[in-house]
């Protein structure tokens, strides 16, 4: 494609742009069980309005030019620290996503470990449950760390004993997820906290996907184990606003128990002509709109608003689980705590079932270990349940009664 010599009328371009979406998966009707989130229409409108109000402002300039963004980012962090039972002195900030929050926490842990050892070249390792997000591998690849993935238990939870055994003098971080993406279960953070306490290890809680909904799910009476700074040996925690905080992308948060632990996160570079360059993030320029929208959503929804959404989400999830398990042979893996889950039928080729769903207009979330399908559901998925369950039953019956080989493989992106 050539770079256009002359521009075209805006209306024509916009019509073409909007037309492109016709070929996309039908996410608005709940056909995509990952990537997209929605609570209420009202929450989506608040997010858009606040984002657009700060469309041009750059959060990189929050300190020097946009005091309003500085205020809102600080307030988002303080509201979240309150939600996550952080002690006095705990600190944190916004980033552009879960992967960046994790990257920052790993850097902070690495530099903390190096400072404690007095060894600026120390090469550490990360001890993760096998269910942890690939963002930890990304961090390890960028910072030349070793990754030790420890198999989860038969309940699909992090195994504190096995993780303790995998940790050694070079371990700079152990991780628990709240919840993990593949199975939707919150790892036993209290037991991991005991490991961290007894071995003096940095425990990071990856609450990227669930952090901003789990407290409200608990408020509404579904069981949610303690997963945050209430566990005294949690050093850091990541939680994404652009997932179940229902804020527009790109927005996440990362927090530390105290300033000393956060120190390694800060980049402070004074080696170029424009003077000292200081950021708390890997990114430079950041969307001011994302900060404003996250703030506006917390303020308009409040705990009662989030609780109402949590109740609706969990009621929907329970109905999905009942419907899935009513199909012969199908079982949900482990005990998911929120609206993410994996499921399968041991006697069926689940890749073929996924193919059947794809042929019926769904983007199937897939699991490799164990073979299964995956759902991460927001209120986009509420009305799709009867169609989903009908097509799942039909796809399963098709696989049961015909031979074939799946071409589809489990991929995330
Ligand atoms: C548990 C968990 N951690 C981290 C991430 C990474 O978040 P992001 O895609 O915003 O980088 C995800 C994304 O789904 C996740 O589920």
């Amino acid at each position: 494609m050539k770079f256009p010599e002359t521009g075209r009328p805006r209306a024509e371009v916009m019509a073409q742009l909007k037309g492109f979406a016709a070929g996309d998966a039908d996410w608005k009707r709940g056909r995509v069980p990952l990537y997209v989130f929605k609570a209420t229409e009202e929450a989506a409108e608040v997010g858009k309005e606040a984002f657009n109000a700060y469309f041009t402002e750059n959060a990189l300039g929050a300190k020097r030019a946009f005091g309003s963004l500085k205020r809102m980012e600080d307030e988002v962090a303080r509201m979240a620290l309150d939600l996550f039972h952080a002690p006095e002195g705990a600190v944190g900030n916004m980033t552009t996503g879960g992967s960046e929050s994790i990257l920052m926490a790993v850097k902070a842990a690495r530099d903390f470990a190096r400072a404690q050892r007095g060894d600026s070249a120390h090469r550490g390792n990360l001890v993760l449950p096998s269910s942890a997000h690939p963002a930890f591998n990304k961090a390890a690849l960028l910072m030349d760390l070793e990754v030790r993935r420890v198999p989860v238990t038969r309940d699909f939870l992090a195994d504190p004993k096995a993780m303790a055994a995998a940790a050694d003098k070079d371990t700079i971080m152990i991780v628990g997820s709240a919840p993990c993406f593949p199975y939707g279960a919150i790892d036993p953070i209290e037991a991991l906290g005991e490991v961290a306490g007894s071995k003096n290890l940095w425990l990071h809680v990856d609450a990227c996907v669930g952090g901003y909904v789990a407290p409200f799910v608990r408020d509404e009476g579904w069981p949610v184990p303690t997963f945050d700074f209430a566990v005294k040996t949690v050093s850091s925690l990541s939680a994404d606003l652009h997932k179940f905080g229902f804020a527009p992308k790109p927005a996440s948060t990362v927090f530390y128990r105290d300033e000393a632990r956060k120190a390694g996160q800060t980049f402070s570079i004074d080696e170029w002509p424009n003077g000292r360059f200081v950021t708390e993030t890997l990114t430079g320029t950041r969307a001011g709109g994302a900060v404003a929208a996250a703030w506006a959503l917390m303020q308009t929804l409040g705990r009662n608003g989030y609780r109402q959404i949590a109740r609706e989400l969990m009621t929907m999830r329970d109905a999905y689980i009942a419907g899935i398990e009513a199909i012969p042979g199908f079982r949900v893996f482990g005990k998911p705590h929120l609206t993410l889950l994996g499921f399968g039928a041991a006697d069926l080729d689940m890749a073929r079932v996924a193919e059947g769903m794809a042929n019926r207009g769904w983007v199937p979330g897939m699991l490799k270990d164990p073979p299964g399908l995956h759902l991460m559901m927001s209120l986009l998925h509420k009305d799709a349940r009867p169609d989903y369950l009908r097509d799942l039953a039909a796809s399963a019956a098709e696989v049961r009664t015909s031979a074939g080989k799946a071409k589809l493989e489990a991929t995330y992106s």
Side-chain angles (χ1 to χ4, degrees):
M1 189 172 183
K2 291 262 191 261
F3 192 88
E5 282 304 325
T6 51
R8 291 190 285 145
R10 171 177 165 184
E12 181 187 312
V13 172
M14 292 313 290
Q16 187 184 9
L17 177 146
K18 287 176 185 161
F20 288 157
D24 287 351
D26 194 358
W27 62 270
K28 289 182 186 160
R29 289 201 311 134
R31 266 53 181 172
V32 181
L34 64 171
Y35 308 131
V36 280
F37 302 83
K38 191 173 174 186
T40 58
E41 203 52 55
E42 170 75 5
E45 289 304 320
V46 168
K48 280 183 207 168
E49 188 183 342
F51 196 104
N52 283 335
Y54 278 81
F55 184 77
T56 306
E57 286 86 339
N58 184 347
L60 174 62
K63 276 195 204 131
R64 296 194 61 216
F66 313 113
S68 57
L69 285 179
K70 170 92 175 71
R71 173 189 170 161
M72 286 189 280
E73 181 169 356
D74 287 349
E75 290 188 2
V76 164
R78 293 210 323 263
M79 288 185 272
L81 287 166
D82 175 46
L83 185 68
F84 297 135
H85 304 105
E88 200 58 37
V91 286
N93 60 278
M94 287 182 65
T95 72
T96 58
S99 300
E100 190 183 21
S101 289
I102 287 169
L103 215 69
M104 293 296 92
V106 173
K107 181 177 183 298
R110 185 200 65 169
D111 289 3
F112 187 78
R114 284 182 170 179
Q116 282 204 323
R117 285 167 172 78
D119 175 1
S120 63
H122 174 254
R123 181 173 189 257
N125 65 65
L126 306 176
V127 175
L128 315 175
S130 54
S131 56
H133 193 271
F136 293 96
N137 288 78
K138 284 189 181 176
L141 283 165
L142 288 168
M143 288 176 253
D144 188 29
L145 305 167
E146 183 197 345
V147 173
R148 299 181 178 175
R149 281 189 180 257
V150 178
V152 291
T153 65
R154 281 168 44 182
D155 299 328
F156 303 100
L157 295 170
D159 184 341
K161 258 200 195 144
M163 285 178 62
D168 62 14
K169 63 174 183 30
D170 293 319
T171 300
I172 61 160
M173 176 185 274
I174 65 169
V175 172
S177 308
C180 69
F181 182 81
Y183 315 114
I186 297 178
D187 286 328
I189 304 301
E190 286 182 302
L192 290 172
E194 280 169 31
V195 174
S198 66
K199 294 187 151 237
N200 194 24
L201 292 167
W202 179 304
L203 171 59
H204 178 81
V205 175
D206 177 11
C208 279
V209 70
Y212 285 105
V213 72
F216 312 114
V217 167
R218 182 195 289 130
D219 285 349
E220 288 298 309
W222 277 266
V224 169
T226 305
F227 70 89
D228 57 20
F229 288 107
V231 177
K232 298 280 182 280
T233 47
V234 166
S235 282
S236 56
L237 181 145
S238 50
D240 294 353
L241 295 152
H242 64 199
K243 294 191 171 82
F244 288 96
F246 304 108
K249 301 166 187 67
S252 172
T253 46
V254 60
F255 303 107
Y256 302 87
R257 180 164 288 279
D258 50 44
E259 281 281 1
R261 283 177 173 78
K262 185 181 171 224
Q265 173 177 322
T266 306
F267 291 100
S268 180
I269 295 156
D270 199 4
E271 295 181 12
W272 76 325
N274 283 65
R276 186 172 293 282
F277 190 98
V278 182
T279 66
E280 305 298 339
T281 50
L282 186 63
T283 48
T285 291
R286 283 190 296 138
V291 174
W295 182 88
L297 272 162
M298 285 181 175
Q299 288 294 312
T300 52
L301 283 170
R303 189 177 273 271
N304 64 334
Y306 278 111
R307 278 183 67 161
Q308 214 173 322
I309 293 163
R311 168 161 290 274
E312 214 177 321
L313 282 170
M314 291 304 283
T315 306
M316 170 193 72
R317 180 212 72 161
D318 289 348
Y320 264 92
I321 291 181
I324 290 165
E325 295 199 332
I327 301 171
F330 276 74
R331 280 287 161 272
V332 167
F333 301 141
K335 287 202 174 65
H337 288 102
L338 307 174
T339 60
L340 298 85
L341 50 97
F343 64 91
D347 62 333
L348 287 179
D349 179 344
M350 288 305 296
R352 283 190 66 211
V353 176
E355 237 163 41
M357 292 302 278
N359 294 338
R360 288 170 173 81
W362 304 87
V363 173
M366 291 175 75
L367 263 173
K368 212 164 92 173
D369 184 18
L373 293 187
H374 186 266
L375 287 169
M376 175 165 65
M377 297 179 288
S378 68
L379 292 178
L380 284 169
H381 302 91
K382 193 176 169 192
D383 295 339
R385 180 170 53 89
D387 290 357
Y388 185 85
L389 295 173
R390 178 199 63 215
D391 288 349
L392 182 62
S395 302
E398 201 170 74
V399 174
R400 241 179 243 294
T401 54
S402 67
K405 195 165 167 10
K407 285 186 228 53
L408 210 59
E409 252 187 71
T411 46
Y412 185 85
S413 52

